[in-house]
Amino acid sequence: MSGRVLVVDDEPQIVRALRINLSARGYTVITAHDGTAALRAAAEARPDVVVLDLGLPDMDGSEVIAGLRGWTTVPIIVLSARSDSPDKVQALDAGADDYVTKPFGMDELLARLRAAVRRSSVSTSDDAEAVVETGDVTIDLAARKVRRDGGEVHLTKTEWGVLELLVRNRGRLVSQKQLLREVWGPAYENESHYLRVYLAQLRRKLEREPSRPRHLLTEPGMGYRFEL
């Protein structure tokens, strides 16, 4: 088996060992030493699998997982010295496919890597583009940032959650219940007034004419849709 592997770790010894072992088995190895570089490398190189350390210098590995899951289904194997269950649960809930605790056996890691790639039913080539542009607005799903007319737009965590879900499903209707369930949680499925408030906020920040939106559209009584 061969393919592209993105190794994200700030320990040179780990990176060197993985590069040697993976290269010897025919993989092309891309490396990143922090989360920012990892998100950029994933968007540019489109790896077939990501091996990710949680303890990165600029952000937690779970944030990297969330950034990747905004636009790609690439298998993610977490490689971390953290052995506590809460850390594992957080990483898996964020979207990781597997979790290997340091120190690890190289044969076990390689076997898990092969299994993760086999289980991946969707090729990364079919994933959404990491950067979506609507003219004056640029939405970077990997970096979780929005720019308008060249300047960064500050979104709250909830605003980003709503926008990300709509952009990932662009051109398709997303029901009110789905938005509420995925952004706020199952207990909020009937709180449709939340959506009216947050869509109004997003339109003020992103639309040229908030009262006549071109991108963040409402389907009355049904849900919302994002159009380029």
Side-chain angles (χ1 to χ4, degrees), residues 74-132:
V74 63
I76 300 171
I77 300 176
V78 167
L79 192 62
S80 180
R82 304 178 191 173
S83 58
D84 293 342
S85 290
D87 290 315
K88 293 183 179 181
V89 170
Q90 182 180 5
L92 293 169
D93 281 347
D97 296 271
D98 205 347
Y99 194 110
V100 178
T101 304
K102 296 178 182 178
F104 59 91
M106 188 61 68
D107 288 341
E108 178 190 357
L109 175 63
L110 290 168
R112 288 174 180 261
L113 186 149
R114 291 192 297 270
V117 173
R118 282 197 304 270
R119 289 196 302 269
S120 178
S121 59
V122 182
S123 168
T124 54
S125 64
D126 293 330
D127 287 329
E129 290 298 317
V131 178
V132 177

Side-chain angles (χ1 to χ4, degrees), residues 13-66:
Q13 312 94 301
I14 297 287
V15 173
R16 186 165 57 249
L18 287 172
R19 184 192 292 279
I20 291 170
N21 281 275
L22 291 169
S23 297
R25 288 160 176 81
Y27 290 98
T28 298
V29 181
I30 307 121
T31 62
H33 69 281
D34 62 25
T36 302
L39 292 170
R40 184 168 56 247
E44 293 173 355
R46 296 299 181 96
D48 298 296
V49 63
V50 176
V51 178
L52 171 70
D53 181 29
L54 288 182
L56 299 173
D58 61 338
M59 67 178 76
D60 190 81
S62 292
E63 294 179 72
V64 179
I65 297 170

Side-chain angles (χ1 to χ4, degrees), residues 2 23 38 61 68-70 75 94 112 129 136 140 146 162 168 170 189 195 197 217-218:
S2 62
S23 297
L68 290 172
R69 284 294 173 255
R112 288 174 180 261
E129 290 298 317
D136 56 330
D140 190 330
V146 178
V162 172
R168 282 197 284 115
R170 56 191 176 276
E189 283 189 356
L195 295 175
V197 171
L217 306 179
T218 300

